[in-house]
Amino acid sequence: MNTVDARPCRTVAVALTGASGMPYGLRLVETLLTGGCRVWLLYSQVAQIVARQEMDLALPGRPTEVEALLGERFGAAPGQLRVFGREEWFAPPASGSNPPDAMVVCPCTMGSLASIAAGLAGNLIERAADVAIKEGRKLILVPRETPFSVLHLENMLRLARMGVVILPANPGFYHRPQGVEQLVDFVVARILDQLGVAHELMPRWGEDEV
């Protein structure tokens, strides 16, 4: 049974893949940095296309340039944000000797989810997820797809049985959101709760009238 880890995560690997939902992933990076976590960011080539399409954000191809761009955008402290390339096999999350406290793939494509379920490691994102599973670290996948096929559901069930948290990007409406930003924050808040990272993105159930 998956439970919320009460111990805050000090280092979180965040992977951006090519599913729709880039605002979720970048907002997660921002809130983790604001919360004092160290972030190791991984991103796919298709994620660059999605970031431009959904947010008019041009993510450079060079990890060092992405690190500088997002570090300035989110006010990261020196060394707090590190960005790694897709085949940077000497990056810390590629080895069980230096894994992060947790990993989040947000947004997560069905292709990435299937590769992780099958134990493939064709790029750094898949390898880092494989390491998280084998080392018993929390792994959260945030799929943004609808409808789910039988194959999608079977892959998610297989991962859930391994202890992976499947957290679809399904925002609620009971907090009466006034804009897209609050819908994004709803999902990000659920991810932060799973990571044990304190936040004030939205009132909790029973704290305010809904």
Side-chain angles (χ1 to χ4, degrees), residues 178-195:
Q178 301 300 306
V180 173
E181 292 81 5
Q182 290 177 306
L183 293 174
V184 170
D185 279 356
F186 183 97
V187 173
V188 173
R190 300 287 75 77
I191 300 171
L192 295 175
D193 286 346
Q194 286 290 323
L195 294 172

Side-chain angles (χ1 to χ4, degrees), residues 34-168:
T34 301
C37 296
R38 181 169 59 170
V39 175
W40 292 344
L41 182 64
L42 323 173
Y43 64 102
S44 71
Q45 188 171 12
V46 182
Q48 294 175 266
I49 298 172
V50 176
R52 183 183 293 274
Q53 173 69 24
E54 296 186 343
M55 302 183 69
D56 290 325
L57 176 64
L59 289 177
R62 295 177 181 270
T64 54
E65 295 176 0
V66 175
E67 192 172 297
L69 173 69
L70 296 183
E72 180 178 359
R73 180 181 179 125
F74 298 142
Q80 190 183 12
L81 173 66
R82 296 184 64 188
V83 182
F84 301 104
R86 292 178 288 275
E87 296 185 358
E88 198 166 335
W89 300 111
F90 288 100
S95 173
S97 67
N98 192 17
D101 295 307
M103 179 175 179
V104 185
V105 184
C106 177
C108 183
T109 64
M110 289 299 105
S112 295
L113 190 146
S115 294
I116 294 168
L120 303 181
N123 56 50
L124 183 58
I125 292 175
E126 295 168 6
R127 171 58 183 168
D130 187 56
V131 167
I133 292 172
K134 79 182 186 72
E135 296 297 326
R137 303 303 171 95
K138 176 156 282 187
L139 174 60
I140 303 171
L141 306 184
V142 185
R144 212 305 309 161
E145 183 64 89
T146 190
F148 292 131
S149 72
V150 172
L151 185 58
H152 298 158
L153 293 169
E154 288 178 343
N155 285 332
M156 285 188 275
L157 179 59
R158 184 178 186 183
L159 287 164
R161 285 173 171 160
M162 299 178 198
V164 176
V165 176
I166 306 298
L167 199 159

